[in-house]
């Protein structure tokens, strides 16, 4: 915004008062015409005209100066709005000094301050989101190279290990699915229907079969064979959560069994793996948190995004997720589907 100049602004203001000047001139002309028609001396008329002109000039000058001061104050407000909300004074202070600011000025200032605060908060949120996404994608790109490099090495061997190939291919697919879900998480592309729990578990386990076979980890399904239970959820999103939970169970279990148990509206995923340190459990659902086990796995660091996506997805679906664990005794993930906070039409 260009600085406000005094004389150009006063000239523009005078142009807007053209009809006022014309009306005042007509009133003076009428005064002299009346004196002329009655044959009266012009002395009193001249004194009256001078007095009227002086009063009118004082009124015009006062209004012009007030207009000039308002323009300067608005100019200052615009400069503040382009700078920072911290530059703007609080409205309460202006109310105490209401001799300098009228009600309209206070409204302008309050509005500009509110908009600036909202803009600053929006910029801060956007920067935080951008930084988190940048960190995630950087870590994800390094992690995604691992199964691709493993596939390249396996293909160079004389005898192909089909189980190993399928495992690395499954990992690569999982990384792609994870980044897609990370992008869609705020999209809320949900479709709630009643889905059999048995169906979702079976299709997820079937997809993950190569991982179980390659690591020689047993799988136990309890309470599902005869169950006809259905839950109100989005099948695609819930299967994504279940797959992430089962992947972690297999990943951190060197030998033993992973059990999937359906009981009283809750799905339990139990493993006989490493377990989680007590101090790590409260932070497992934080974005980017890997914990002690995440830094141990074959010397590679995990992305720390899987459980964060699981928690965010379960909240979005109206379900709950919790984790119980003990070092050396395994981990139990509880997917609580009993409370559906959403209803179908």
């Amino acid at each position: 915004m260009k600085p406000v100049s005094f004389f150009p602004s006063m000239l523009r203001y005078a142009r807007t008062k053209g009809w006022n000047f014309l009306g005042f001139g007509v009133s003076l002309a009428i005064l002299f015409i009346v004196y002329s028609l009655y044959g009266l001396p012009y002395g009193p008329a001249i004194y009256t005209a001078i007095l009227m002109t002086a009063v009118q000039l004082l009124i015009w000058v006062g209004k012009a100066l007030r207009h000039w001061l308002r323009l300067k104050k608005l100019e200052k407000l615009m400069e503040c709005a382009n700078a920072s909300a911290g530059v703007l004074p609080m409205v309460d202070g202006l109310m105490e000094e209401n001799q300098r600011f009228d009600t309209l000025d206070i409204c302008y200032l309050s509005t500009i301050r509110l908009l600036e605060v909202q803009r600053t908060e929006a910029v801060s949120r956007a920067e935080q989101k951008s930084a988190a996404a940048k960190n995630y994608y950087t870590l994800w790109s390094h992690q995604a190279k691992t199964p691709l490099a493993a596939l390249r090495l396996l293909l160079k061997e004389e005898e192909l290990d089909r189980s190993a190939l399928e495992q690395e291919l499954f990992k690569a697919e999982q990384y792609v699915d994870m980044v897609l879900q990370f992008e869609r998480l705020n999209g809320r592309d949900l479709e709630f229907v009643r889905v059999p729990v048995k169906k979702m578990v079976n299709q997820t386990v079937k997809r993950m079969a190569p991982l179980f076979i390659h690591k020689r980890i047993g799988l136990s399904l309890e309470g599902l064979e005869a169950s006809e239970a259905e839950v109100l959820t989005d099948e695609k999103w819930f299967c994504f959560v279940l797959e992430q939970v089962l992947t972690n169970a297999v990943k951190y279990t060197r030998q033993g069994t992973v059990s999937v148990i359906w009981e009283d509206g809750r799905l339990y995923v139990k493993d006989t793996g490493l377990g989680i340190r007590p101090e790590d459990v409260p932070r497992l659902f934080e974005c980017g948190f890997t914990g002690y086990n995440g830094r141990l796995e074959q010397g590679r660091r995990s992305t720390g995004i899987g459980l964060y996506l699981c928690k965010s997805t379960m909240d979005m679906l109206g379900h709950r997720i919790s984790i119980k664990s003990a070092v050396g005794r395994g981990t139990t993930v509880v997917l609580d589907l009993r409370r559906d906070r959403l209803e179908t039409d």
Side-chain angles (χ1 to χ4, degrees):
M1 181 178 178
K2 296 181 179 180
V4 179
S5 300
F6 180 76
F7 289 106
S9 63
M10 291 297 98
L11 181 60
R12 287 192 296 269
Y13 178 75
R15 289 175 181 173
T16 63
K17 302 299 182 181
W19 286 105
N20 291 352
F21 290 118
L22 180 60
F24 181 71
V26 170
S27 64
L28 291 179
I30 293 174
L31 176 64
F32 282 97
I33 290 173
V34 170
Y35 270 76
S36 175
L37 290 176
Y38 283 95
L40 299 174
Y42 287 106
I46 293 173
Y47 291 133
T48 303
I50 293 173
L51 182 61
M52 290 176 59
T53 302
V55 173
Q56 191 62 48
L57 283 176
L58 288 174
I59 294 175
W60 282 339
V61 170
K63 289 184 177 180
L65 290 176
R66 185 170 180 269
H67 175 71
W68 163 253
L69 293 175
R70 286 171 63 83
L71 288 178
K72 294 301 291 183
K73 285 188 286 185
L74 288 175
E75 180 186 23
K76 186 175 181 180
L77 292 179
M78 291 300 295
E79 292 175 356
C80 291
N82 291 329
S84 170
V87 178
L88 299 174
M90 295 300 294
V91 176
D92 293 340
L94 291 179
M95 294 298 292
E96 296 173 359
E97 302 175 7
N98 55 11
Q99 293 181 351
R100 292 194 306 162
F101 292 87
D102 59 20
T103 304
L104 186 58
D105 294 327
I106 294 174
C107 291
Y108 284 153
L109 184 58
S110 300
T111 302
I112 293 174
R113 182 179 179 84
L114 177 61
L115 291 175
E116 175 62 16
V117 169
Q118 292 175 347
R119 184 190 70 83
T120 303
E121 291 176 351
V123 169
S124 178
R125 288 194 299 268
E127 290 177 348
Q128 292 176 1
K129 184 177 179 181
S130 177
K134 182 178 179 180
N135 292 335
Y136 168 65
Y137 288 128
T138 300
L139 185 57
W140 177 88
S141 63
H142 288 290
Q143 289 293 101
K145 291 178 182 179
T146 303
L148 297 179
L151 284 171
R152 185 179 296 276
L153 291 175
L154 289 171
L155 290 173
K156 290 181 180 180
E157 295 181 359
E158 295 183 1
E159 295 184 5
L160 294 179
D161 186 343
R162 182 179 177 85
S163 175
L165 285 172
E166 290 180 345
Q167 181 194 24
E168 298 303 328
L169 180 60
F170 175 77
K171 289 180 180 179
E173 291 175 345
Q174 269 201 320
Y175 280 121
V176 174
D177 288 343
M178 189 177 294
V179 76
L180 290 176
Q181 297 300 87
F182 183 78
E183 284 294 331
R184 294 172 183 166
L185 191 59
N186 293 326
R188 303 293 179 92
D189 56 333
L190 302 176
E191 183 180 355
F192 284 91
V193 293
R194 291 202 169 274
V195 189
V197 177
K198 179 180 177 181
K199 174 186 175 183
M200 293 188 292
V201 172
N202 286 341
Q203 69 183 34
T204 304
V205 168
K206 182 178 180 181
R207 173 175 162 79
M208 295 189 59
L211 198 60
F212 280 92
I213 294 173
H214 180 77
K215 291 200 67 174
R216 295 186 174 90
I217 301 296
L219 176 65
S220 172
L221 302 179
E222 301 178 20
L224 286 166
E225 293 302 323
S227 175
E228 299 295 332
E230 294 183 345
V231 293
L232 181 64
T233 190
D234 182 287
E235 181 177 354
K236 178 186 68 175
W237 282 94
F238 181 75
C239 287
F240 166 77
V241 173
L242 183 57
E243 183 176 307
Q244 290 296 315
V245 172
L246 286 172
T247 299
N248 283 345
V250 175
K251 181 179 180 180
Y252 296 110
T253 300
R254 294 191 176 94
Q255 61 181 3
T257 302
V258 173
S259 301
V260 180
I261 306 169
W262 173 251
E263 182 180 338
D264 296 331
R266 289 173 290 192
L267 200 63
Y268 298 86
V269 179
K270 297 182 178 181
D271 64 56
T272 56
L274 301 174
I276 304 170
R277 297 192 305 180
E279 58 268 30
D280 287 345
V281 173
R283 300 186 59 194
L284 290 175
F285 297 119
E286 293 181 11
C287 184
F289 180 75
T290 57
Y292 180 74
N293 291 345
R295 292 183 289 271
L296 273 183
E297 182 66 14
Q298 299 179 359
R300 297 172 296 181
R301 181 174 178 175
S302 64
T303 60
I305 200 72
L307 287 177
Y308 163 76
L309 290 177
C310 289
K311 180 64 166 63
S312 301
T313 302
M314 291 293 280
D315 290 343
M316 186 172 63
L317 296 176
H319 306 317
R320 294 185 296 175
I321 180 173
S322 58
I323 295 178
K324 301 176 182 179
S325 184
V327 177
R329 298 173 59 185
T331 301
T332 299
V333 179
V334 184
L335 304 177
D336 192 341
L337 309 180
R338 293 176 301 171
R339 297 180 180 178
D340 295 326
R341 296 193 292 270
L342 297 170
E343 297 293 337
T344 55
D345 293 334

